[in-house]
Amino acid sequence: MNLLQQIKETRDFLFSKGSMQPETGIVLGTGLHQLLNYVDVKQTIPYADIPGFPISTVEYHKGNLIYGSMAGKNVLIMQGRFHAYEGYTMQQIVFPVRVMKLLGIQRLFLSNAAGGINLQFKKGDLVLVDDHINLLAGNPLSGKNYDELGSRFPDMSEPYDLHLKYLLQQKANELGIELKKGVYAAVHGPNLETKAEYRYLKNIGADMVGMSTVPEVIAAVHMQLPCIAVSVITDECDPDHLKPVNIEEIIEIAGMADSKLSHLFVEAIKVL
Ligand code: HPA
């Protein structure tokens, strides 16, 4: 079975189980769960029960696909995503996003935890991803191109949807939530960066750094699926005053910003 057939087979499996037509797809990043408090959950399907899905190995990520409605809108939520550092291939990482697109989602909201390279960013800040730099070793589009999914050489001049960016900024203003803007660099991980690497990231124009999101966005753009991403700053990456961080601390800080991020996503999705 080729990749496209596998995506369709998984879609058909979910069609046969899924109770509703999702409009918006959402990927919940590390430490971000509170959005689920706004969701009337219709169905929770563990990744392990979905044919074709990779299985999430990281203990911090619960792997579930959740069908529900939120603010009157049908949403399909990925609770837990797949990362390169877990050993997944780029194609495996983006597989669920491709399936969600074929299930009919019209847009994708992504969230992540990220280190702040831009020293204006403080722990707990929310930053709208304005653009990205792919420093991952691979690319989800490498290999045979399926024209049914998208074109061989997709344009990346505007990977994050302008309308959605505008909407999110507007909702943040209305809610009194500060939403900064920056360039996200994706690295492989799982180690955090050295001081020299943080300096390098700053020099090449990154405002934040993390280990996710970019593969999913590349796959979304390939399929002409409008997407948007917000980073929660979990650590300040100042090479001249670098303090050791650990993953527990990163998750704790992400948790502190969780409620404002969730509120922002809900208010934006409500008007779509
Ligand atoms: N580097 C890479 N990924 C991260 C970081 C970081 O400093 N913080 C949260 N995710």
Side-chain angles (χ1 to χ4, degrees), residues 54 72 75 82 89 104 108 118-119 135 164 172 208 231 241 244 253 262:
V75 292
F82 303 96
T89 65
L108 181 65
N118 182 333
L119 298 178
L135 297 175
L164 292 175
M208 57 257 187
S231 294
H241 307 91
I253 306 281
S262 302

Side-chain angles (χ1 to χ4, degrees), residues 100-163:
M100 288 202 289
K101 162 73 176 165
L102 265 66
L103 284 168
I105 63 164
Q106 287 152 41
R107 60 196 78 85
L108 181 65
F109 279 54
L110 301 124
S111 56
N112 61 56
I117 303 289
N118 182 333
L119 298 178
Q120 312 263 309
F121 296 172
K122 301 298 167 206
K123 285 183 193 178
D125 277 355
L126 298 185
V127 185
L128 184 62
V129 181
D130 200 31
D131 204 346
H132 71 224
I133 301 173
N134 183 18
L135 297 175
L136 291 162
N139 188 300
L141 308 183
S142 89
K144 177 175 165 55
N145 186 62
Y146 293 96
D147 295 338
E148 208 180 315
L149 292 179
S151 70
R152 174 74 288 188
F153 299 107
D155 175 65
M156 278 293 152
S157 58
E158 210 63 78
Y160 300 85
D161 186 74
L162 282 175
H163 168 70

Side-chain angles (χ1 to χ4, degrees), residues 46-62:
Y47 292 160
D49 295 349
I50 306 175
F53 256 50
I55 294 164
S56 187
T57 56
V58 176
E59 57 196 296
Y60 303 105
H61 298 274
K62 281 194 213 141

